[in-house]
Amino acid sequence: MMELLWIATGVVSTLIFVGLFWVYWHFEGDRSLREYVSEDEEPEGKYRILQKVQTPTQRVALVEHEDKLLVYSNGYVMFGTTEDEDMYGEAMIHIPVSIAEKRERVLLIGAGGGITTREVLRYPDVKEITVIDIDPVMIEFGKTLEPLVKFNQGSLNHPKVRTVVEDGRVFLEKNEDKWDVIILDLPEPTMESLGLSRLYSWEFYHLLKERLNPGGVVGIACSVLSNTPEYYWTIQATLKAAGFSVLPYHFDVIVEHEEDWGYCVAATRPISPADVNILVPNRYLNRDRLKDMFHIRYGYWKYWEEDEIQTDRNRVLAYIQNEDI
Amino acid sequence: MMELLWIATGVVSTLIFVGLFWVYWHFEGDRSLREYVSEDEEPEGKYRILQKVQTPTQRVALVEHEDKLLVYSNGYVMFGTTEDEDMYGEAMIHIPVSIAEKRERVLLIGAGGGITTREVLRYPDVKEITVIDIDPVMIEFGKTLEPLVKFNQGSLNHPKVRTVVEDGRVFLEKNEDKWDVIILDLPEPTMESLGLSRLYSWEFYHLLKERLNPGGVVGIACSVLSNTPEYYWTIQATLKAAGFSVLPYHFDVIVEHEEDWGYCVAATRPISPADVNILVPNRYLNRDRLKDMFHIRYGYWKYWEEDEIQTDRNRVLAYIQNEDI
């Protein structure tokens, strides 16, 4: 009978051990990794985490995947040395920059990776580019991280380029300089990153108008149109409420990634697709693509509501983003 | 020392038992369910499987979910008593039927659920509808299953409607009748369902031409355009090779389901969006939606290749589908 007791001891202790191990693995095992590379956006197949950094504003992970570098922010891909990034950068820059009457002085807010700066540098009439990023680590990566410098063609070290580590709103409040083009290429504000909300508000858009030269334009990244059309229309309603004329456009990678990237251009004069005339080399903005970029699908329009605008006190966009997650 | 041996026996046998259980659960546990309701298409939240039937051609599951009936075929939703189905049915029927010069004699192939039949019955000048489905169980459900009959408004029991259980190709080969409108609303052929390939081939499309009255049209469901644009273009290239004029269109539910449904109309005369004039009541095909339905995105066009067409011997579409899975 003693033998049975000893066997039972073995059985019970193993069950307890297996159970505890399962609980640990399930709830704790990969939490630390997941804070840097979320399960949703884990690269397919093999990948290697080169570096994890907790910066003053975010958790950044550098990930190597299929010879590409992916830069993660708080678990999601912010950008990478990929073909997608070339598409994204071309769409972000060439529509607003080609619409602007002049392009001597360009301000890029949220551009630490240097990829959009690379595109702006293609215009020979650009004299001065100011790159603002709130995160010193991002600017440092953009200037020195070898695969990234290769990809952005050393744009952040170019003599025409000045980098500033500062919050974009604070920078514009302090500096009364005027700009021909202002690009806002920022992450979506959420309830966890409320500071960003102040870079999308009616008050901020009013400030932008004061900082534009005559004939100047603002280009704004508007998240994934196919996921959050309400977000897209809220930005445009806010721009209109601040007195801007707005031209919405998009870049469709639905087949490749089930995403349709939303952007818009805002100007103090009426603008239309006919004003777009891209005279610098590019890879993705051919005639047929451009035509498509200004057709906004009915499937998105039907979510248009002009009711709410984003103000410093009414953080509509953060609510929309948090509902989407 | 004997005690340790007995404990070890307990430990090892428990580990073996736990391991075997895990292996069983992981690989076998829910296989039977999964053959009827795949993991990808499991309804969110609570649902109830009302019935599982192995019919001569497929595994059908009737699933109740949030007061709706979903009909699964081989693990994937074929149709349901949902708003989506209304959209799908309106888009499938009203574009081709309104383009046809006459609509007295209509042939629906693959229409056992009766929902597209319901839409065709809205046209008072329709005299005779023939509904073909290879699966007698589907026709039976469409005629008698209470929630479905309520949803299709008893269309399959309407005096203008005749149902035939037969393969669509065999039916057309045997019957030399002519039709004003032929609708092909069929599942995608795969390597596991090669019979379906014969309903998408150059040879079959030639046969369709012989079975059309002058001014008649064919409407074809072309799967999810956003997942498999190559599939969409292959059908159109095949129709053109068979001498048809083709008008592609789509219905976008990207925001709701990350899907864009592809369709096309084929006719023996040139046709264009200007020929579409829907005079019967409908819920989803308003002016703005219609305009959008004929704009095919550049993001799909770039996958266009005219190289290959589907023939009885060259089953291009099944290869495309199997690569997509």
Side-chain angles (χ1 to χ4, degrees):
Chain A
M1 277 317 283
M2 273 311 277
E3 289 86 346
L4 275 182
L5 196 65
W6 288 118
I7 288 176
T9 307
V11 168
V12 169
S13 57
T14 310
L15 282 177
I16 288 170
F17 181 78
V18 167
L20 286 176
F21 183 78
W22 182 85
V23 167
Y24 168 77
W25 187 253
H26 195 69
F27 291 104
E28 284 294 328
D30 52 5
R31 179 181 290 182
S32 159
L33 168 66
R34 288 298 169 228
E35 288 189 340
Y36 286 89
V37 176
S38 73
E39 213 169 338
D40 304 348
E41 295 224 353
E42 194 165 20
E44 274 181 51
K46 273 192 192 170
Y47 66 96
R48 203 156 62 96
I49 297 183
L50 305 176
Q51 206 176 328
K52 291 192 283 187
V53 202
Q54 171 75 58
T55 79
T57 52
Q58 57 195 335
R59 293 180 302 279
V60 173
L62 303 179
V63 174
E64 190 183 72
H65 178 240
E66 293 176 357
D67 292 338
K68 308 285 183 193
L69 175 75
L70 300 175
V71 180
Y72 282 71
S73 167
N74 299 333
Y76 293 87
V77 175
M78 184 158 46
F79 59 85
T81 61
T82 61
E83 198 183 6
D84 282 358
E85 205 59 44
D86 287 330
M87 293 181 192
Y88 180 87
E90 287 194 0
M92 178 79 260
I93 293 304
H94 295 300
I95 307 302
V97 172
S98 77
I99 288 180
E101 281 181 13
K102 282 194 307 174
R103 54 194 68 87
E104 293 183 1
R105 304 196 72 239
V106 178
L107 177 66
L108 303 176
I109 300 181
I115 298 156
T116 47
T117 308
R118 180 193 74 191
E119 292 304 310
V120 178
L121 282 167
R122 299 201 194 285
Y123 293 83
D125 46 340
V126 166
K127 287 192 178 147
E128 187 189 334
I129 305 174
T130 300
V131 171
I132 313 274
D133 203 299
I134 198 172
D135 191 341
V137 178
M138 284 313 310
I139 296 262
E140 195 53 29
F141 281 153
K143 281 183 174 175
T144 60
L145 195 68
E146 194 259 331
L148 193 48
V149 172
K150 200 173 154 193
F151 192 73
N152 70 27
Q153 298 172 0
S155 65
L156 296 188
N157 303 311
H158 192 281
K160 287 183 183 176
V161 176
R162 175 172 69 121
T163 58
V164 180
V165 175
E166 192 149 43
D167 172 80
R169 172 130 176 199
V170 173
F171 177 86
L172 277 173
E173 282 170 347
K174 288 195 314 194
N175 291 272
E176 298 195 357
D177 297 352
K178 303 224 175 207
W179 308 89
D180 300 313
V181 179
I182 300 174
I183 302 290
L184 301 166
D185 186 13
L186 294 159
E188 298 83 357
T190 63
M191 300 313 276
E192 291 74 45
S193 62
L194 285 173
L196 272 168
S197 286
R198 285 166 49 83
L199 285 146
Y200 288 90
S201 72
W202 181 84
E203 292 86 346
F204 180 62
Y205 291 162
H206 259 287
L207 175 63
L208 288 180
K209 267 171 73 186
E210 289 171 30
R211 297 291 184 263
L212 277 183
N213 278 325
V217 301
V218 182
I220 305 179
C222 302
S223 193
V224 178
L225 177 48
S226 45
N227 293 347
T228 49
E230 320 86 299
Y231 181 94
Y232 193 59
W233 302 130
T234 301
I235 290 180
Q236 291 183 45
T238 306
L239 285 164
K240 284 180 187 169
F244 279 107
S245 167
V246 185
L247 177 61
Y249 67 98
H250 71 108
F251 194 100
D252 155 19
V253 287
I254 290 283
V255 175
E256 297 82 356
H257 306 301
E258 297 189 340
E259 288 189 352
D260 197 357
W261 302 328
Y263 308 85
C264 66
V265 189
T268 52
R269 63 196 157 102
I271 48 174
S272 84
D275 297 314
V276 176
N277 185 17
I278 303 169
L279 297 172
V280 300
N282 65 80
R283 291 166 64 187
Y284 300 103
L285 309 181
N286 62 37
R287 201 174 57 96
D288 289 332
R289 170 65 81 175
L290 279 170
K291 201 174 148 197
D292 189 76
M293 286 171 77
F294 295 102
H295 174 93
I296 305 291
R297 297 188 155 197
Y298 178 72
Y300 307 139
W301 278 115
K302 68 177 178 177
Y303 289 92
W304 169 259
E305 282 176 34
E306 198 121 10
D307 300 352
E308 284 216 274
I309 64 165
Q310 167 102 355
T311 66
D312 281 350
R313 302 190 58 174
N314 189 19
R315 302 186 186 99
V316 184
L317 298 178
Y319 285 107
I320 294 172
Q321 284 299 324
N322 278 57
E323 269 180 26
D324 185 53
I325 289 165
Chain B
M1 280 313 286
M2 273 313 275
E3 290 87 345
L4 276 181
L5 197 65
W6 288 118
I7 289 177
T9 307
V11 168
V12 169
S13 57
T14 310
L15 283 176
I16 289 169
F17 181 78
V18 168
L20 286 176
F21 182 78
W22 183 85
V23 166
Y24 168 77
W25 187 253
H26 195 71
F27 292 104
E28 285 294 329
D30 51 7
R31 179 181 290 180
S32 160
L33 168 65
R34 291 298 169 228
E35 288 188 341
Y36 286 89
V37 177
S38 73
E39 212 169 339
D40 304 348
E41 297 223 354
E42 195 164 18
E44 275 180 49
K46 273 190 191 172
Y47 67 95
R48 202 157 63 97
I49 297 182
L50 305 175
Q51 208 175 327
K52 292 192 284 187
V53 202
Q54 172 76 59
T55 80
T57 53
Q58 57 196 334
R59 293 180 302 279
V60 174
L62 304 179
V63 174
E64 190 183 69
H65 179 238
E66 294 175 354
D67 292 338
K68 308 286 182 192
L69 175 75
L70 301 175
V71 181
Y72 282 72
S73 167
N74 299 333
Y76 293 87
V77 176
M78 184 158 45
F79 60 84
T81 61
T82 62
E83 198 184 8
D84 283 357
E85 205 59 43
D86 287 330
M87 293 181 194
Y88 180 88
E90 287 194 0
M92 178 80 258
I93 293 304
H94 295 299
I95 307 300
V97 172
S98 78
I99 289 180
E101 282 181 13
K102 283 194 307 175
R103 55 193 68 86
E104 293 183 3
R105 304 196 72 240
V106 178
L107 178 65
L108 303 176
I109 300 182
I115 298 156
T116 46
T117 309
R118 180 193 74 190
E119 292 305 310
V120 177
L121 282 167
R122 301 202 192 284
Y123 294 82
D125 46 341
V126 165
K127 289 192 177 147
E128 187 188 334
I129 305 174
T130 300
V131 171
I132 313 273
D133 203 300
I134 198 171
D135 190 342
V137 179
M138 283 314 309
I139 297 260
E140 195 55 28
F141 281 153
K143 281 183 174 174
T144 61
L145 196 67
E146 193 261 330
L148 194 48
V149 172
K150 201 174 155 193
F151 192 74
N152 69 29
Q153 297 172 359
S155 63
L156 295 188
N157 304 312
H158 192 281
K160 286 184 182 175
V161 176
R162 173 174 70 122
T163 58
V164 180
V165 175
E166 191 149 44
D167 173 80
R169 172 131 177 198
V170 172
F171 177 86
L172 276 172
E173 281 170 348
K174 288 195 314 197
N175 291 272
E176 299 194 359
D177 297 352
K178 303 222 176 208
W179 308 88
D180 301 312
V181 179
I182 300 175
I183 302 290
L184 301 166
D185 186 12
L186 294 159
E188 297 83 356
T190 62
M191 300 312 278
E192 291 75 46
S193 63
L194 285 173
L196 272 168
S197 286
R198 285 166 50 84
L199 286 146
Y200 288 91
S201 70
W202 181 85
E203 292 85 347
F204 180 61
Y205 291 161
H206 260 286
L207 176 63
L208 289 180
K209 268 170 72 186
E210 288 170 32
R211 297 291 183 265
L212 278 183
N213 279 326
V217 302
V218 183
I220 304 179
C222 302
S223 193
V224 179
L225 176 48
S226 46
N227 293 347
T228 48
E230 320 84 300
Y231 182 94
Y232 193 59
W233 302 130
T234 301
I235 290 179
Q236 291 184 44
T238 306
L239 285 164
K240 284 180 188 169
F244 278 107
S245 167
V246 186
L247 177 62
Y249 67 99
H250 73 108
F251 194 99
D252 157 18
V253 287
I254 290 282
V255 175
E256 297 83 355
H257 306 300
E258 298 189 338
E259 287 189 353
D260 197 358
W261 302 328
Y263 307 86
C264 67
V265 188
T268 52
R269 64 195 156 104
I271 49 174
S272 84
D275 297 314
V276 177
N277 185 18
I278 302 168
L279 297 172
V280 300
N282 65 80
R283 290 166 65 190
Y284 300 103
L285 308 182
N286 63 37
R287 201 176 56 98
D288 288 332
R289 170 65 81 178
L290 278 169
K291 202 175 147 197
D292 190 76
M293 287 171 78
F294 295 102
H295 173 92
I296 305 291
R297 297 190 153 196
Y298 178 72
Y300 308 139
W301 277 115
K302 68 178 177 176
Y303 289 91
W304 168 259
E305 281 174 36
E306 198 120 12
D307 299 354
E308 283 216 276
I309 64 165
Q310 167 102 356
T311 66
D312 281 349
R313 302 191 58 175
N314 188 21
R315 302 184 187 103
V316 183
L317 298 178
Y319 285 107
I320 293 172
Q321 284 299 325
N322 279 56
E323 270 179 26
D324 185 54
I325 288 165

